[in-house]
Amino acid sequence: QVTCSLCLVRPCSLMSWICRQVLFWDHNRDGMFERAAVTYADPEAAKYIWGMCMHWYGDPRYESWPPRVEVPYMDRQKDAKPIFELKGCAGFENVRRVADLRPDKHILFSEGCQELGGRPLSQLLGDWNVGERYAMNIINDLNAGCEGFIDWNLCLDETGGPNHVGNLCCAPVICDGKSGLPLYQPSFWYLGHFSKYIRPGARRVLNSTSRDALEVTSFLNSDGRLAVVVMNQSEVSIKFWMKIAGECQGPVAAALVEAPARSIVTFVADDGEAELPFWRRLLPSSWFKTVEPWQRAAK
């Protein structure tokens, strides 16, 4: 792959700026770190590469084909009732490892879709669990250093196609050829929490959560609006304090909020009244004399 990339990039880079942003791998996360280590180790290849792209496949919670194991546990709060966790080859942690390996390069999610696996599309229509899969992957990947998300099929027909090999899928929008109407699926609305509130040019803000059931990512947009996306896949509504830290001190703003059961919520902070954005007024003005705005507040 490295040799072929070099042969293609050298002449192309002299003819068009389009070929300057070359990505490699374009496969699942499980093998991405190994491929990144080998590819980036070649300095002649690395200088032509803009970044790496990956897919989400390999999660046995959503797919029938990946190798899987069951890790057993006991629920100590329910009389040691046996439970288990499915482990496959989703490889979420490999995204961060690649980002740490070459922080000067880029990472892009280039393909993800919910395959039907022989099921009729009707079984997945309106399935909110598919939307949760989208959000879980996006949150994990963004927090690990990924910079964008590309769906494999934003729109499909009422069969989950067309597909030249019969690999039918569900999509955020199903186009009903008989009625001519679009059927917006839960994944469409889950995607909206990212595409609507995290805008191009936004910078990721470090965050943490004290509850494992709360999955969160946060970004500061160029207009000063802070977007915090929180997902709760559990069957229990969770109240929590959302806190914003100041420079070398505790929270300078806090609010008691709630993530309802099986929900995704986006909190946007911007009072829209003052000359300066709300979050900029919370930080010392000295920060903005020597650095790009928000550079220290966001990663």
Side-chain angles (χ1 to χ4, degrees):
Q1 181 175 346
V2 174
T3 302
C4 292
S5 297
L6 288 174
C7 293
L8 291 172
V9 170
R10 277 175 175 155
C12 192
S13 62
L14 299 176
M15 296 187 300
S16 173
W17 64 270
I18 297 176
C19 295
R20 294 174 187 170
Q21 296 182 344
V22 176
L23 295 101
F24 70 103
W25 186 234
D26 196 31
H27 198 44
N28 302 334
R29 299 187 194 96
D30 58 349
M32 65 182 295
F33 181 75
E34 179 183 5
R35 180 56 61 90
V38 172
T39 305
Y40 287 139
D42 185 332
E44 185 67 14
K47 69 182 182 181
Y48 292 104
I49 294 173
W50 183 79
M52 189 175 200
C53 52
M54 80 287 186
H55 307 168
W56 74 13
Y57 308 109
D59 193 333
R61 295 172 294 180
Y62 302 98
E63 297 158 344
S64 59
W65 60 266
R68 64 188 289 279
V69 295
E70 297 179 3
V71 180
Y73 297 94
M74 291 188 299
D75 189 341
R76 296 298 302 277
Q77 297 184 19
K78 291 188 176 180
D79 300 322
K81 180 181 177 180
I83 56 176
F84 68 89
E85 181 180 1
L86 279 179
K87 296 286 188 179
C89 49
F92 285 107
E93 67 283 353
N94 287 334
V95 181
R96 169 54 61 189
R97 290 171 180 148
V98 171
D100 290 341
L101 177 69
R102 287 299 298 265
D104 57 318
K105 298 294 186 180
H106 304 269
I107 301 175
L108 185 67
F109 183 94
S110 59
E111 182 186 317
C113 203
Q114 179 59 59
E115 300 166 310
L116 297 183
R119 298 169 292 179
L121 179 60
S122 58
Q123 288 189 12
L124 287 182
L125 291 180
D127 188 348
W128 289 91
N129 187 245
V130 176
E132 290 171 336
R133 182 186 189 186
Y134 272 78
M136 177 191 67
N137 279 267
I138 294 173
I139 289 173
N140 274 279
D141 286 342
L142 289 179
N143 286 342
C146 183
E147 300 172 34
F149 180 92
I150 300 174
D151 198 343
W152 187 23
N153 300 290
L154 285 175
C155 303
L156 291 172
D157 65 21
E158 64 271 15
T159 68
N163 189 288
H164 69 289
V165 294
N167 184 22
L168 303 178
C169 302
C170 189
V173 181
I174 299 298
C175 300
D176 190 335
K178 298 179 180 179
S179 67
L181 298 176
L183 303 176
Y184 295 100
Q185 298 305 297
S187 54
F188 176 86
W189 307 109
Y190 273 73
L191 282 170
H193 281 267
F194 304 93
S195 61
K196 181 177 181 179
Y197 298 106
I198 301 174
R199 305 303 300 158
R203 299 171 67 90
R204 184 167 61 89
V205 178
L206 293 178
N207 59 65
S208 67
T209 173
S210 60
R211 298 294 181 269
D212 293 341
L214 297 179
E215 301 169 70
V216 57
T217 191
S218 54
F219 280 79
L220 195 64
N221 289 295
S222 57
D223 63 359
R225 294 181 180 179
L226 178 69
V228 182
V229 184
V230 181
M231 182 171 66
N232 175 16
Q233 296 191 66
S234 78
E235 301 287 350
V236 180
S237 180
I238 301 176
K239 292 183 178 181
F240 62 96
W241 283 95
M242 186 171 68
K243 304 176 183 179
I244 308 299
E247 183 182 17
C248 301
Q249 58 180 319
V252 294
L256 181 61
V257 293
E258 184 174 3
R262 303 296 297 274
S263 72
I264 185 169
V265 183
T266 298
F267 301 93
V268 178
D270 178 20
D271 60 7
E273 296 179 357
E275 181 178 355
L276 290 176
F278 172 70
W279 295 107
R280 189 162 182 171
R281 300 200 310 274
L282 292 177
L283 302 174
S285 59
S286 60
W287 277 22
F288 306 102
K289 294 180 180 179
T290 58
V291 300
E292 177 185 354
W294 305 113
Q295 188 169 355
R296 295 193 187 181
K299 183 178 180 181

